Amino acid sequence: MSDRPRLLPLLTGARHGTRDAMTCLYRCGNACDHPVPNTSDNAYFGDVVNAEMSRRGVVRAGAVGALVLGFGGAAAGALAGAAPALAAPTTTPDAPQAFGFGRPSTGVGNGALTFKPIPPNTLDTLVVPNGYDHVVVIKWGDPVLPGAPDFDLHHQTAAAQSRQFGYNNDFVGVLSLDKQGRRALLVVNHEYTNEDLMFPGFSGLDGLSVEQLRTAMAAHGMSVVELERVAGTGQWQPVNKGPRPYNRRVTALSTKFELTGPAAGSAWLKTAADPKGRTVVGTLNNCAGGVTPWGTVLSGEENFNQYFVGADAAPAELKPKLDRYGISTASRYPSGSRKWERADERFDLAKHPNEAHRFGWIVEIDPFDPESRPRKHTALGRFKHEGANVIVAKDGHVVAYMGDDERFDYLYKFVSDKKFMKGNSWAARKHNLTLLESGTLYVAKLDQTSATEIDGSGKLPTDGAFNGRGRWIRLVSGNRSFVDGMTAADVLTFTRLAGDKVGATKMDRPEDVEPSLLTGKVYVALTNNTNRGVGSSPKADEANPRNANKHGQILELIEDRNDNASETFTWSLPIVCGDPTDPSTFFAGYDKTKVSPISCPDNVAFDATGNLWISTDGNALGSNDGLFATAVEGPERGHLKQFLTVPLGAETCGPFITGDNRSVFVAVQHPGEITGASVENPASNWPDGDYAKPGVVVTWRLDGGPVGS
């Protein structure tokens, strides 16, 4: 008898693809209503690799080096040094060593995922397995800065919101503040706002006051919040007394960012307000991110296009570039426009056509120095960044992996010029803070082994795998461009156009891309692409094997020679998502009667023993979104089990498993975001029983054991 949970009937309501129409409006500016930005005619794959080529598993990644993980490193990066003092000391405190590479240390479990999977459901609550508990750590409107006013739903102001926890939390990072794992910093992205669900009496964006628009701007950005562990358990709570010197709000309203790298100061980034092209006010639509080995947080600016209007009056030579980035030049107010130009005219491209070029970057923030200015790193390219995750290659260079979350867009990699400096001295950290300012940016081109067998149905090729080889194509290195007709500043500012020119592989919405710090293998969440093979859109290929793909897949990439700085790799699809009873699904060859159904993978993370955790966005199977876990090595590879579900209308974001394997953090984004909902008529009343509020949740085992086991 199968132990796979039964599917629920599909939810009703107007939907764009797999999301509710309200989510499409506010999160991505109705991207599905606009033409696919990538109209290039570059082929999906280059020459078909012959059947005798190396297949999955020929190259197996081994240990990744001697870098020691910090407290939160298992989920999103390695923290080599804990919090430095605000004034530069001669050394910084040692980071707690959660586990090293190759073999986990004691106390984190043996990696077996023994929890009983929860069934798909549409409950308006957060559901976790038996033997676990959970609590809301922080939610929209809670105080962040000491002295922040109490949240007042009916009298929201930009000044108050700039001191309170922002809206629609996405990425979650947890960085240790002490050796004992009792104090930590929570770093969270606030991706976007939903004014329907924020402001009572909402009657449309044009009806908002300028102060309400500024409040929405203040609700974007990031939060840094000091946490303390509760009584030695896996539970955490905000510190609510004392000075809390690290607590911080970064907003789209007023926070200044420094531009770094080859494109900084270029003509593309200069505006009337910033004639030097080196300082940007605000960050927009911050989606996923990662924790670096030197203890900073990277954040990806994603659907920034929806914040700009007036592109119809932009200079003619600029319009094709704006269109390629999803900024429609056909009308002043494209579908999904937020009308922010009423509060700040820089969002009007008719007046300030270069302002849009100042968004779409990877942002780096130092949570241990609240006085430091966040930076936007132009060396990592500009596109709709889901996020960036870093690993140190064999030779010491830092490698960052990134996805461009758009239908038919690309997978990228950055390799630093400088090498990572080990140790936790102030000098080492100062050096490592410069690693993302210069390097080589690549885009991926995938070849396939079974091209003639791919018919769009998702049928597995006769060799038993969707797999192939691939290579990283150089786009730019420092100030040298490798793309004909484009300068380095051109390539970095209009990276999508550079990818088009070199024939990169068009993918099914590459979102979170994360290397395993235990094996060096890289995992990519390809969320979905319902345009695949529809009309004149590109048809299925081996890496994207289904036409009208509404469920997505997971890509595994293994760099040649186990070297993350390599320019060639092998790839495979260990998981092709959907209902396991559907023949087009695949779970690494595991018995599909025993796996949980999964749809629309969005973010990936790792626990201390190397298990892969996958969160979903827009479940097309009808259940609430959730968090899933599977082994990626050994006989349990592909045995996917659902660990939790989020409330009605919500998305599961930012999964983060602490390095001691005792706590799982998730961001519950846009609960109750269902067409027709409002503050007065909520579709969800999570978490307080009144109106919906996005928030961050932590779950832990009641017996104190390692999560998952």
Coordinates of all heavy atoms in Angstrom, one line a residue, residues 24 36 40 64 144 184 216 299 312 319 324 326 328 358 401 444 539 547 555 643 683 697:
C24 N 0.4 37.7 -8.9 CA 1.0 38.2 -10.1 C 1.1 39.7 -10.3 O 2.1 40.2 -10.7 CB 0.2 37.6 -11.3 SG 0.4 35.8 -11.5
V36 N 7.2 37.5 -23.5 CA 8.4 37.0 -22.9 C 9.6 37.9 -23.3 O 9.8 38.2 -24.5 CB 8.7 35.6 -23.4 CG1 10.0 35.1 -23.0 CG2 7.6 34.6 -22.9
S40 N 15.4 36.4 -28.3 CA 16.6 36.0 -29.1 C 16.3 34.7 -29.8 O 15.5 33.9 -29.4 CB 17.8 35.9 -28.2 OG 17.6 34.9 -27.3
V64 N 35.2 20.0 -0.3 CA 35.4 21.3 -1.0 C 36.5 22.1 -0.4 O 36.7 23.2 -0.8 CB 34.0 22.0 -0.9 CG1 34.0 23.2 -1.8 CG2 32.9 21.1 -1.3
V144 N 11.6 46.7 15.0 CA 13.0 46.3 14.7 C 14.0 47.1 15.5 O 14.8 46.7 16.2 CB 13.3 46.3 13.2 CG1 14.8 46.1 12.9 CG2 12.4 45.2 12.5
A184 N 22.1 35.2 17.9 CA 22.3 35.2 16.4 C 21.6 36.5 15.8 O 20.8 37.2 16.5 CB 21.7 34.0 15.8
A216 N 4.7 52.1 1.7 CA 5.0 50.9 1.0 C 6.5 50.8 0.6 O 7.1 49.7 0.6 CB 4.1 50.9 -0.3
S299 N 21.8 39.7 -1.4 CA 20.4 39.7 -1.6 C 20.2 40.1 -3.1 O 20.9 40.9 -3.7 CB 19.8 40.8 -0.8 OG 18.4 41.1 -1.1
D312 N 7.6 54.6 -22.4 CA 7.2 54.9 -23.7 C 7.9 56.2 -24.2 O 8.0 56.5 -25.4 CB 5.7 55.1 -23.8 CG 5.1 56.1 -22.9 OD1 5.7 56.3 -21.8 OD2 4.1 56.7 -23.2
K319 N 15.0 51.8 -25.7 CA 13.8 51.1 -25.6 C 14.0 49.6 -25.8 O 13.4 48.8 -25.0 CB 12.7 51.6 -26.6 CG 12.1 52.9 -26.1 CD 11.0 53.4 -27.1 CE 10.4 54.6 -26.6 NZ 9.3 55.1 -27.4
R324 N 13.8 44.3 -23.0 CA 14.5 43.0 -22.7 C 14.5 42.7 -21.2 O 14.6 41.6 -20.7 CB 15.9 43.0 -23.2 CG 16.7 41.7 -23.0 CD 16.1 40.5 -23.7 NE 16.8 39.3 -23.5 CZ 16.6 38.5 -22.5 NH1 15.6 38.7 -21.6 NH2 17.3 37.4 -22.4
G326 N 11.8 43.6 -19.3 CA 10.4 43.5 -18.9 C 9.8 44.9 -18.6 O 8.7 44.9 -18.0
S328 N 8.0 47.6 -20.2 CA 7.3 47.8 -21.4 C 7.4 49.3 -21.9 O 7.2 50.2 -21.1 CB 5.8 47.5 -21.2 OG 5.1 47.8 -22.4
R358 N 19.9 51.0 -12.3 CA 20.5 51.0 -11.0 C 19.9 50.0 -10.1 O 20.2 49.9 -8.9 CB 20.4 52.4 -10.4 CG 21.2 53.5 -11.2 CD 20.6 54.9 -11.2 NE 20.6 55.5 -9.9 CZ 21.6 56.1 -9.4 NH1 22.8 56.2 -10.0 NH2 21.5 56.7 -8.2
Y401 N 26.9 31.5 -7.6 CA 26.0 31.0 -8.6 C 24.7 31.8 -8.5 O 24.2 32.1 -7.4 CB 25.7 29.5 -8.3 CG 26.9 28.6 -8.5 CD1 27.7 28.3 -7.5 CD2 27.1 28.1 -9.8 CE1 28.8 27.4 -7.7 CE2 28.2 27.3 -10.0 CZ 29.1 26.9 -9.0 OH 30.1 26.1 -9.2
A444 N 25.7 30.0 -18.6 CA 25.7 28.5 -18.9 C 25.1 28.2 -20.2 O 24.1 28.7 -20.7 CB 25.0 27.8 -17.8
K539 N 10.5 24.8 -27.8 CA 10.0 23.5 -27.3 C 10.9 22.9 -26.3 O 11.9 23.4 -25.9 CB 9.8 22.6 -28.5 CG 8.8 23.1 -29.5 CD 8.4 22.1 -30.6 CE 7.5 22.7 -31.7 NZ 6.3 23.4 -31.1
N547 N 6.7 20.3 -22.3 CA 6.0 21.4 -22.9 C 5.0 21.9 -21.9 O 4.5 21.0 -21.1 CB 5.4 21.1 -24.2 CG 6.5 21.0 -25.3 OD1 7.5 21.6 -25.2 ND2 6.2 20.2 -26.3
L555 N 17.6 20.9 -11.1 CA 18.8 20.6 -11.9 C 20.0 20.4 -11.0 O 20.2 21.2 -10.0 CB 19.1 21.8 -12.8 CG 20.4 21.8 -13.6 CD1 20.3 20.8 -14.8 CD2 20.8 23.1 -14.2
F643 N 7.8 18.4 4.6 CA 8.1 18.7 6.0 C 7.1 19.6 6.6 O 6.7 19.5 7.8 CB 9.5 19.2 6.1 CG 9.9 19.6 7.6 CD1 10.2 18.6 8.4 CD2 9.9 20.9 8.0 CE1 10.6 18.9 9.8 CE2 10.3 21.2 9.3 CZ 10.6 20.2 10.2
A683 N -8.7 36.6 3.2 CA -8.8 35.2 2.8 C -8.0 34.3 3.8 O -8.2 33.1 3.8 CB -8.2 35.0 1.4
V697 N 8.9 32.1 10.6 CA 8.6 31.0 11.6 C 9.8 30.2 11.8 O 10.6 30.0 10.9 CB 7.5 30.2 11.0 CG1 7.2 28.9 11.8 CG2 6.2 31.0 10.9

